Amino acid sequence: MLVGATSHSPTGSRGFMERGFLLLVVLMFLEGTVFPLGAASSPDINNYTFPKKAFPVLSLDYGHIQMPFEISLWVLLASLMKLGFHLIPRLSGIVPESCLLIVVGLLVGGLIKLAGEEVPPVLDSKLFFLCLLPPIILDAGYFLPIRPFMENIGTILMFAVIGTLWNAFFVGGLLFAVCQIEGTHLSQVELLPCLLFGSIISAVDPVAVLAVFEEIHINELLHILVFGESLLNDAVTVVLYHLFEEYSGAGEVTLMDAFLGVICFLIVSLGGVAVGAIYGILAAFTSRFTSHTRVIEPLFVFVYSYMAYLSAEMFHLSGIMALIACGAVTRPYVEANISHKSHTTIKYFLKMWSSVSETLIFIFLGVATVAGPHAWNWTFVSVTVILCLVSRVIGVVGLTFIINKFRIVKLTTKDQFIVAYGGLRGAIAFSLGYLLDKDHFPMRTMFLTAIITEIFFTVFVQGMTIKPLVDLLAVKKKQEAKRSINEEIHTQFLDHLLTGIEDICGHYGHHHWKDKLNRFNKKYIKKCLIAGERYKEPQLIAFYHKMEFKQAIELVESGGGVKMPAAMPLQVSMQNIQPKKQPPMAADRALPQFTKNREEEIRKILRSNLQKTRQRLRSYNRHTLVADPYEDGWSEYMLKKQRMIELEKKVSNYLTVPAAPSDSPTMRRARLASDPNAFYTIKAPPGNVPTIQVELASPQSPDSVNLVDEFSKKGGSSQKNTDDRKEEQGRMMKPPSAGKGGKGEEEEEEEEGENKNPGLLRCLSDPGPSNEDEEDEPFLP
Amino acid sequence: FEQIGILHKRFKQLSHNEDKLRRDDFNTIPDLACNPIRNQIIEAFFDKRNFHQNGEGTVQEIGFEEFLVVMSHFRPPALNMTEEQRENIRREKLRFLFNMHDTDNDGTITLEEYRHVVEELLSRSGALGKETAKGIADAAMLEVASISMGHMEPDEFYEGITFEHFLKILKDIEIETRMNIRFLNLDTTTLCK
């Protein structure tokens, strides 16, 4: 025990690692003391007096905590390793993380063996399939980009199903043929075990693919192709595995069995998806009611998904597909229901778990390599490796040839190469091999050796070289560009356009069905599964909210007082975007550029949704609580000064006084009554404090209100820190009113006549005041 | 060229065996009714600018050739095209889209027109429509302006999105691969009342 613990310490070459482990040993000691002390404090009421020994002040009780301790130790090792790799800059660029982790595993395994201990069967299949694999798959499924996935679903299915079948039979068959050749001492390997071996080894592994592809940032299409294939081929693998395993004993597979196998495949895959979808819908439905218990929201997502996996595994359906289906179904509905914080929690928990799992898997792979009984057979192993490569290439090329006939966007040779080269094998293959029964399969160790070699080959050789190859072949990389709102608008527009054209042609194509599904979704499903009024929100608006929210947060985080973050290169403010008939207004504005920036910044800090400023007018004008003194049309200078003072007062007031809920009833009412997208600028009249709350009125829970309150506070406080805050605010005040102020004198009458709220209208820099007039008339008291 | 044959059949069906297609004929397609941008789509068919003849304005009825020309905008690019050809196809398709937005044919998409577009898109969403649409359109406009013009003096104007700017902002969505319809297996019996 102690030996085991200390043997870990020389593993890393890092000082802190050793220190870390030393610390652990010390901790262990301490833990060891607690328990005996505890035992002593709650004495057994026994009839006999036990012999009096010296009171154990310090004792060691490792057996008590052995299991959790070792698990924690492994997890800690994995995480520290991950940390360590990123501290060496050059290494992580050349060698993919998975390789390094396997090496670490090898070292650890080697050390354990040297120490004479028995290597724990860490890659025990049960542990692997029940604990290590689900987080990774759930992470993948939850964040699966649905759109490209669905667009390419045909291709992905072809690769997954037919490709895997082809690989399995090709490899298995040829291996058998090779085994029959004299001189290889392999003639006892029969056909069925070979086919079984073929099916195990031909499955592309999602873990390995994820690990490697994550680092090469390849374009979305290829990524989704390979990744989708690795996820969906699980069904095929499960069926083939069970089929061959069952009948290897019997020695014969009849046509009937093959037919049953096909049926089984359909059941396995569709059943898995159905199970996942059911649990997903349940999760979405549950999340509809969680508005009062926000804290456990993430738990629902995790537990339902895990149960989907377990249920599928219970029936020997495809657990991976169930998980993917559950995650993909849950996501759109749950995200609309849960609070922002829960969303972040889910995201980070999933990433954390999947990351740790992945690391552990690779380390264990290394350990198992050292530990496992090996039966090296040159012929078998080398033939396996070569055959896998060959069959993959042939499979991909052949399938692409067929697929390209049906695709609009054809797959080029480069794409095919990457798809073929990216077919990495991983730990799933090893675990499946490990599961094989020793009695039925005497050549199990040989299989395991071959599997491990194949895994090593693909991960090391292919994993390391794929990055330079991608660069060499100039394969299109992932575009890092943010989704701009224009793109979103036009994507939606295109969708509708194409659907319309299809309707005109009378062609019930792709878009037609997608549109139908969307409408069905909107009409029925969303009503059930999404709480409150959110379901009416079309995608564009939701996207828009998100974007603005993000921008506001980014802005605040960047300190507010500094120059605008690159995310919002808004050198142009709304004043610039005006129809031609407004020249007089702009001509009078001689404003330095940065004040406009400042104005923009501050505007964005305080609001969560970009909206026309008349929104704000409407919202706060409606409720009488904030009697707007400015409606009486004061002169601009009074306006300016007053606002400066008020603002400062209000903002500082606001900072010290937490968002007063007492103000809110009217505000809330107003919020619900008014358009949820309210927009504020800091040039708001003295009703700043309560109206800030109203502005944050988006159809989200009070949580988000508080959230953005914090941001406003942060924004406010960060502003406070700038030296010339007052001055800047004053200056900031200027543009809106100076815009007015500049021409204020001349236009005063005009404006007063025009509408009752000149100052605010002007400073809100709207294009086209004529529009505003029409809209604001009903709302101005 | 069976595609043309199929389209011809469809044309005949839509126009009730006449030679010219009118706007009302489009109203007979039931599925089109739920489409939020149906008006613009129908308009696009009658817009002279899409006929590749450098005309302007709209017509009241179109013949089969014009129908074909409009449909040809949706042809997928062939597998081995040069970069230049792709670029041309992209321009063509984007031009089609641009014409759909630019309803007054002045060569730029102004804020009003853009707002109209967004409103139409969101017209199915009911209550949340108008103001949000304006906000979205404004933000989008801002974005285009920032990307195309970079830094602007406060007294400059950005009147509208010209075709060049339009190209620039949308070049990332790879229009030539997405704006395509497969004409091969049209079931022309579906359809009209």
Side-chain angles (χ1 to χ4, degrees):
Chain A
M1 343 153 276
L2 221 82
V3 179
T6 49
S7 71
H8 289 304
S9 46
T11 305
S13 48
R14 346 211 116 261
F16 73 88
M17 269 275 291
E18 296 180 38
R19 263 184 276 132
F21 280 111
L22 220 46
L23 201 60
L24 280 169
V25 173
V26 172
L27 266 172
M28 199 179 67
F29 268 116
L30 293 176
E31 279 179 80
T33 57
V34 172
F35 295 132
L37 279 180
S41 61
S42 52
D44 295 327
I45 313 292
N46 278 334
N47 286 337
Y48 59 92
T49 54
F50 38 95
K52 198 150 189 247
K53 357 179 239 208
F55 190 73
V57 176
L58 191 69
S59 60
L60 194 61
D61 190 2
Y62 188 61
H64 196 84
I65 47 138
Q66 179 175 11
M67 181 65 153
F69 189 79
E70 287 187 348
I71 295 179
S72 315
L73 213 56
W74 279 113
V75 174
L76 195 62
L77 172 70
S79 321
L80 287 170
M81 283 288 99
K82 217 173 155 80
L83 257 186
F85 294 145
H86 288 283
L87 289 179
I88 316 177
R90 280 214 58 194
L91 200 57
S92 45
I94 307 177
V95 185
E97 219 173 80
S98 37
C99 301
L100 290 170
L101 289 171
I102 294 186
V103 169
V104 168
L106 285 171
L107 284 172
V108 171
L111 281 163
I112 297 184
K113 212 162 193 177
L114 273 179
E117 291 274 321
E118 176 203 318
V119 175
V122 283
L123 211 48
D124 177 29
S125 295
K126 209 160 156 205
L127 174 71
F128 178 74
F129 279 113
L130 293 182
C131 302
L132 291 178
L133 193 59
I136 303 180
I137 305 293
L138 181 59
D139 180 38
Y142 196 76
F143 292 108
L144 194 68
I146 298 273
R147 215 194 148 96
F149 187 74
M150 284 303 167
E151 282 176 10
N152 294 302
I153 190 92
T155 317
I156 293 179
L157 276 176
M158 279 280 275
F159 275 127
V161 177
I162 304 190
T164 314
L165 277 176
W166 156 259
N167 277 342
F169 282 106
F170 188 76
V171 173
L174 279 186
L175 260 182
F176 179 62
V178 166
C179 287
Q180 297 301 100
I181 298 177
E182 292 281 328
T184 56
H185 315 285
L186 286 173
S187 40
Q188 75 272 25
V189 179
E190 302 178 19
L191 179 62
L192 278 174
C194 272
L195 284 176
L196 178 60
F197 177 73
S199 67
I200 295 178
I201 201 144
S202 60
V204 178
D205 187 78
V207 180
V209 164
L210 252 184
V212 170
F213 270 52
E214 212 169 51
E215 299 179 2
I216 61 179
H217 299 301
I218 206 169
N219 70 14
E220 204 178 50
L221 173 68
L222 287 178
H223 186 227
I224 199 76
L225 277 182
V226 181
F227 188 58
E229 180 197 343
S230 69
L231 290 174
L232 293 184
N233 66 16
D234 181 58
V236 182
T237 311
V238 164
V239 171
L240 281 179
Y241 183 77
H242 284 300
L243 187 69
F244 290 132
E245 201 195 1
E246 289 283 318
Y247 292 110
S248 288
E252 268 256 315
V253 177
T254 65
L255 202 57
M256 186 60 179
D257 297 324
F259 181 64
L260 281 177
V262 170
I263 308 256
C264 182
F265 165 71
L266 285 171
I267 296 185
V268 161
S269 48
L270 293 174
V273 171
V275 167
I278 294 177
Y279 273 99
I281 295 186
L282 274 177
F285 193 66
T286 316
S287 71
R288 186 180 172 192
F289 303 108
T290 58
S291 39
H292 298 289
T293 44
R294 293 277 176 196
V295 191
I296 55 173
E297 270 170 349
L299 191 68
F300 283 119
V301 174
F302 297 141
V303 171
Y304 272 112
S305 312
Y306 194 51
M307 292 211 20
Y309 180 73
L310 294 175
S311 311
E313 286 291 324
M314 184 166 69
F315 294 107
H316 278 302
L317 301 174
S318 168
I320 291 185
M321 292 183 80
L323 259 185
I324 302 280
C326 186
V329 166
T330 308
R331 188 178 181 203
Y333 305 114
V334 158
E335 283 203 346
N337 279 335
I338 63 179
S339 71
H340 185 78
K341 286 181 183 156
S342 296
H343 175 71
T344 311
T345 309
I346 291 184
K347 185 162 108 169
Y348 277 100
F349 257 93
L350 278 179
K351 295 284 176 202
M352 180 186 83
W353 268 330
S354 68
S355 172
V356 169
S357 272
E358 194 181 299
T359 318
L360 274 178
I361 287 180
F362 282 116
I363 292 188
F364 286 167
L365 208 52
V367 172
T369 312
V370 173
H374 288 298
W376 182 267
N377 184 312
W378 275 105
T379 331
F380 192 75
V381 170
S382 50
V383 168
T384 310
V385 171
I386 299 176
L387 274 183
C388 281
L389 260 182
V390 167
S391 80
R392 175 106 184 132
V393 171
I394 299 182
V396 168
V397 170
L399 279 175
T400 321
F401 182 68
I402 304 177
I403 290 174
N404 268 344
K405 296 212 169 90
F406 297 103
R407 278 179 70 91
I408 296 184
V409 180
K410 318 275 183 198
L411 291 175
T412 65
T413 324
K414 262 194 266 177
D415 295 335
Q416 291 173 32
F417 176 74
I418 296 290
V419 172
Y421 207 66
L424 306 174
R425 299 349 187 233
I428 292 187
F430 182 75
S431 309
L432 283 176
Y434 209 78
L435 267 179
L436 287 175
D437 192 356
K438 270 204 187 75
D439 303 318
H440 279 161
F441 299 97
M443 66 295 294
R444 173 176 171 262
T445 48
M446 190 172 68
F447 282 176
L448 278 178
T449 315
I451 293 178
I452 289 191
T453 317
E454 171 71 17
I455 296 179
F456 271 45
F457 180 77
T458 52
V459 172
F460 279 93
V461 174
Q462 286 179 241
M464 272 203 268
T465 53
I466 201 167
K467 191 161 190 191
L469 272 175
V470 160
D471 292 330
L472 194 69
L473 290 178
V475 177
K476 254 194 294 193
K477 291 259 182 104
K478 178 158 71 169
Q479 287 158 327
E480 290 297 338
K482 241 174 19 133
R483 289 272 287 193
S484 74
I485 188 135
N486 276 297
E487 288 181 7
E488 180 75 19
I489 292 179
H490 283 282
T491 313
Q492 290 236 330
F493 189 81
L494 251 187
D495 274 343
H496 287 298
L497 174 66
L498 289 174
T499 313
I501 299 282
E502 275 189 1
D503 289 331
I504 292 180
C505 297
H507 175 216
Y508 277 155
H510 201 68
H511 293 275
H512 182 91
W513 292 116
K514 201 155 61 151
D515 191 54
K516 270 219 159 83
L517 183 68
N518 276 338
R519 270 188 276 139
F520 175 69
N521 192 12
K522 199 181 283 197
K523 213 160 145 206
Y524 299 111
I525 300 186
K526 279 193 176 170
K527 244 192 264 190
C528 306
L529 296 180
I530 297 188
E533 297 288 302
R534 294 293 299 282
Y535 71 90
K536 286 217 197 92
E537 218 175 60
Q539 188 194 355
L540 192 59
I541 297 185
F543 173 81
Y544 184 58
H545 286 335
K546 261 192 219 154
M547 189 184 84
E548 287 308 310
F549 201 66
K550 242 186 274 183
Q551 281 181 352
I553 294 177
E554 269 174 11
L555 198 48
V556 169
E557 280 180 359
S558 76
V562 275
K563 97 184 211 38
M564 304 250 281
M568 273 194 330
L570 288 176
Q571 304 284 350
V572 178
S573 74
M574 286 312 295
Q575 286 141 339
N576 292 105
I577 303 193
Q578 293 170 19
K580 289 185 205 152
K581 54 185 174 355
Q582 296 292 318
M585 194 150 63
D588 295 324
R589 268 183 250 226
L591 305 162
Q593 184 66 22
F594 86 92
T595 51
K596 202 154 304 171
N597 287 350
R598 176 53 51 105
E599 157 195 293
E600 274 291 349
E601 283 170 39
I602 298 180
R603 205 189 290 170
K604 286 203 188 275
I605 288 174
L606 285 189
R607 67 170 185 204
S608 63
N609 295 310
L610 174 59
Q611 188 48 293
K612 282 334 290 164
T613 53
R614 48 184 107 78
Q615 275 348 94
R616 177 181 65 93
L617 283 179
R618 181 185 322 197
S619 321
Y620 76 77
N621 277 336
R622 267 199 208 165
H623 43 79
T624 53
L625 190 68
V626 185
D628 190 346
Y630 296 115
E631 286 165 7
D632 307 339
W634 290 6
S635 78
E636 289 72 50
Y637 292 141
M638 287 288 286
L639 195 96
K640 198 176 23 168
K641 250 186 242 157
Q642 179 109 9
R643 228 181 277 134
M644 247 166 67
I645 302 170
E646 295 283 37
L647 177 74
E648 250 193 286
K649 219 177 13 172
K650 284 310 165 194
V651 176
S652 55
N653 188 23
Y654 184 66
L655 289 176
T656 51
V657 174
S662 54
D663 279 338
S664 37
T666 338
M667 299 320 123
R668 295 274 160 87
R669 225 185 309 130
R671 163 175 58 147
L672 289 175
S674 71
D675 184 352
N677 305 313
F679 165 58
Y680 277 112
T681 72
I682 203 168
K683 312 162 202 94
N688 217 0
V689 176
T691 50
I692 285 181
Q693 282 194 321
V694 183
E695 100 187 0
L696 306 178
S698 51
Q700 288 173 9
S701 69
D703 277 357
S704 54
V705 174
N706 294 330
L707 193 70
V708 188
D709 281 352
E710 288 166 26
F711 290 130
S712 335
K713 274 193 208 160
K714 247 205 323 190
S717 59
S718 66
Q719 282 182 349
K720 225 182 163 84
N721 293 336
T722 62
D723 293 332
D724 45 3
R725 171 180 118 91
K726 187 172 178 168
E727 199 189 12
E728 289 187 60
Q729 288 215 331
R731 296 188 70 174
M732 178 232 2
M733 283 296 123
K734 264 209 202 83
S737 41
K740 245 194 54 122
K743 54 185 162 19
E745 278 73 18
E746 313 99 69
E747 297 182 29
E748 206 175 293
E749 285 100 33
E750 175 210 321
E751 290 183 50
E752 277 188 343
E754 200 176 289
N755 54 52
K756 305 171 191 96
N757 221 332
L760 298 150
L761 271 184
R762 280 296 160 269
C763 67
L764 304 178
S765 45
D766 277 342
S770 51
N771 296 343
E772 297 167 26
D773 293 343
E774 291 151 29
E775 278 193 9
D776 290 324
E777 293 297 291
F779 301 105
L780 296 175
Chain B
F1 261 32
E2 49 182 82
Q3 295 182 8
I4 300 191
I6 295 178
L7 280 174
H8 189 76
K9 252 199 278 184
R10 182 68 182 170
F11 183 81
K12 281 287 182 226
Q13 203 178 26
L14 280 176
S15 64
H16 306 291
N17 285 324
E18 294 170 30
D19 276 333
K20 295 279 183 184
L21 200 59
R22 263 178 294 273
R23 281 192 178 78
D24 314 321
D25 295 324
F26 281 102
N27 294 334
T28 57
I29 307 176
D31 293 314
L32 204 55
C34 334
N35 199 317
I37 56 171
R38 59 189 292 267
N39 289 327
Q40 283 156 317
I41 299 180
I42 295 180
E43 275 306 312
F45 273 93
F46 295 97
D47 191 340
K48 268 214 199 139
R49 285 174 299 171
N50 291 332
F51 295 158
H52 288 191
Q53 288 158 8
N54 299 328
E56 287 216 347
T58 63
V59 290
Q60 284 306 110
E61 45 183 39
I62 55 173
F64 184 58
E65 307 82 51
E66 285 96 14
F67 185 70
L68 260 191
V69 169
V70 172
M71 280 302 184
S72 72
H73 286 280
F74 293 94
R75 215 176 354 160
L79 184 56
N80 32 10
M81 280 194 151
T82 64
E83 193 54 42
E84 203 187 302
Q85 283 173 314
R86 279 183 176 268
E87 189 61 39
N88 280 340
I89 291 210
R90 193 181 303 158
R91 277 185 86 92
E92 210 183 282
K93 295 192 198 272
L94 281 176
R95 183 89 225 173
F96 184 78
L97 277 185
F98 189 79
N99 290 342
M100 280 184 80
H101 294 324
D102 184 20
T103 45
D104 59 0
N105 292 347
D106 62 356
T108 58
I109 305 179
T110 62
L111 188 62
E112 271 312 306
E113 287 169 347
Y114 210 39
R115 273 192 196 151
H116 188 68
V117 170
V118 178
E119 266 168 37
E120 290 290 309
L121 264 186
L122 294 180
S123 61
R124 305 251 137 219
S125 68
L128 299 178
K130 275 235 157 199
E131 295 68 38
T132 329
K134 288 196 163 51
I136 294 178
D138 291 332
M141 204 73 178
L142 258 181
E143 207 176 68
V144 176
S146 330
I147 293 180
S148 328
M149 312 276 280
H151 176 96
M152 276 180 70
E153 289 307 314
D155 46 357
E156 273 180 53
F157 294 102
Y158 185 68
E159 282 115 28
I161 310 181
T162 63
F163 185 53
E164 293 307 313
H165 296 165
F166 195 68
L167 273 182
K168 215 195 308 189
I169 57 173
L170 286 185
K171 71 173 162 61
D172 278 340
I173 60 177
E174 291 196 2
I175 270 253
E176 73 271 12
T177 52
R178 292 173 66 160
M179 188 163 139
N180 298 309
I181 307 267
R182 271 180 277 229
F183 294 122
L184 281 183
N185 31 355
L186 293 179
D187 181 9
T188 52
T189 53
T190 62
L191 280 268
C192 312
K193 289 189 259 219

